[in-house]
Amino acid sequence: MEKQLIDQVLRKIKNTEVEGKGNERVKEIVARLLKDLFYAIDDLNISSEELWIGLDWLNGAGRNHEWGLIYAGTGLEHYIDERMDWEDKQAGLELKTPRTIEGPLYVAGAPESLSYAELETEQEPNGERLYMQGTVLDEDGNPVEGALVEVWHCNLKGMYSYFDKTQPEFNLRRSIRTGKDGRYQFKSFVPVGYSCPPNGSTDTLMQLLGRHGSRPAHIHFFISAPGFRKLTTQINIEGDALLGQDFAFADKDGLVPPITRISAEQAKEKGIDEAYASIDFDFNIVQDNEKIAAGENNRTRVALA
């Protein structure tokens, strides 16, 4: 089909808009996306039947509440991170702690404590005990007092509280406020990776693309403080078989800290009554200013009182 005929259809659609009404930014975006879609339909000879199969899949993804997973799994969320990294470089900013994706499973309002938290509302059976600790630092390596370290991860079934109604409220979700020394520490267990819901919308798409829908083990973080740009990141668990194969493209160099295993005898010397794994990791945050892109992503999130 000649491109001028496609453009004629696009003009016909555009001419139905009433000048001065609606949202100009929305009009601009929809017009560009429609043009790219119409051209792709023609270039790839996409049939009406294939379009309706796609629409059925889109409807199913909405019913399954999987758009957050699809956003990550198609690489869109990773691309936005890469774009923000590029913007930072243009502004002469080099992050010491890399950003990476938030994902769709954050819940606001997790209980807050000073310097230390235990993430388990109910103890996970058969979990390997984990202590993770470090310091929130500014660009010059100084500790940041009053920083908020928000942390969340899944249970050993790969499920997150709130979305998994069998778990207590805010299980494996806490907020830790740093003191003058900028230190934080939490106690939990070494998490596992997880996969998209079997035969769900995301899994179906991944199979059609010849890909898997699994993530290596990881722990999510928001780091924020007054006068500083919010950092969204996560660490991966060293030795996980899926490192470098994350379906969400979130694993990055600099975000796989080493794990030290402490024996029961060594733990007893430290006043702890069991063997455990230990991770040391410092977060570096940058001072906020008008020359750099905002750290907060004002998206819809789950929030509990």
Side-chain angles (χ1 to χ4, degrees), residues 7-47:
D7 293 341
Q8 184 177 320
V9 175
L10 289 165
R11 283 194 298 272
K12 184 176 182 179
I13 295 168
K14 181 70 175 175
N15 288 339
T16 63
E17 298 174 4
V18 179
E19 189 174 350
K21 290 189 176 182
N23 183 289
E24 293 305 315
R25 179 62 173 164
V26 172
K27 290 179 182 179
E28 177 186 31
I29 292 171
V30 170
R32 171 58 188 270
L33 292 178
L34 276 179
K35 179 178 180 179
D36 290 347
L37 177 60
F38 287 8
Y39 277 30
I41 289 170
D42 190 60
D43 291 343
L44 300 173
N45 196 26
I46 300 173
S47 69

Side-chain angles (χ1 to χ4, degrees), residues 108-266:
E112 182 180 324
S113 57
L114 179 64
S115 299
Y116 174 80
E118 297 188 359
L119 303 194
E120 294 169 280
T121 305
E122 64 178 15
Q123 189 157 339
E124 185 80 14
N126 305 316
E128 179 185 11
R129 186 62 48 223
L130 170 68
Y131 287 87
M132 179 169 171
Q133 54 278 317
T135 307
V136 179
L137 302 166
D138 66 15
E139 292 158 284
D140 298 318
N142 302 308
V144 179
E145 180 182 3
L148 188 66
V149 178
E150 297 180 78
V151 52
W152 68 102
H153 70 78
C154 66
N155 66 9
L156 290 180
K157 296 179 181 177
M159 305 294 287
Y160 286 79
S161 62
Y162 177 83
F163 303 95
D164 171 22
K165 301 304 182 184
T166 67
Q167 296 185 52
E169 190 173 270
F170 292 119
N171 188 41
L172 305 176
R173 301 177 184 275
R174 294 294 187 269
S175 300
I176 306 166
R177 186 73 65 177
T178 61
K180 290 184 179 180
D181 59 1
R183 296 285 293 173
Y184 77 91
Q185 184 184 49
F186 63 83
K187 176 184 177 183
S188 188
F189 57 87
V190 178
V192 297
Y194 67 84
S195 298
C196 297
N199 301 313
S201 301
T202 313
D203 184 50
T204 297
L205 178 61
M206 292 300 108
Q207 290 186 46
L208 290 169
L209 293 174
R211 294 175 48 196
H212 67 76
S214 299
R215 299 208 59 203
H218 58 280
I219 303 174
H220 292 271
F221 296 93
F222 283 156
I223 314 295
S224 56
F228 290 84
R229 186 172 73 174
K230 181 177 179 180
L231 171 66
T232 300
T233 194
Q234 55 187 267
I235 62 118
N236 285 111
I237 302 303
E238 183 184 47
D240 192 289
L242 283 175
L243 280 174
Q245 303 176 53
D246 185 353
F247 105 104
F249 309 100
D251 47 355
K252 288 186 175 181
D253 293 340
L255 294 177
V256 190
I259 298 180
T260 302
R261 256 73 187 198
I262 308 298
S263 69
E265 288 185 4
Q266 293 171 317

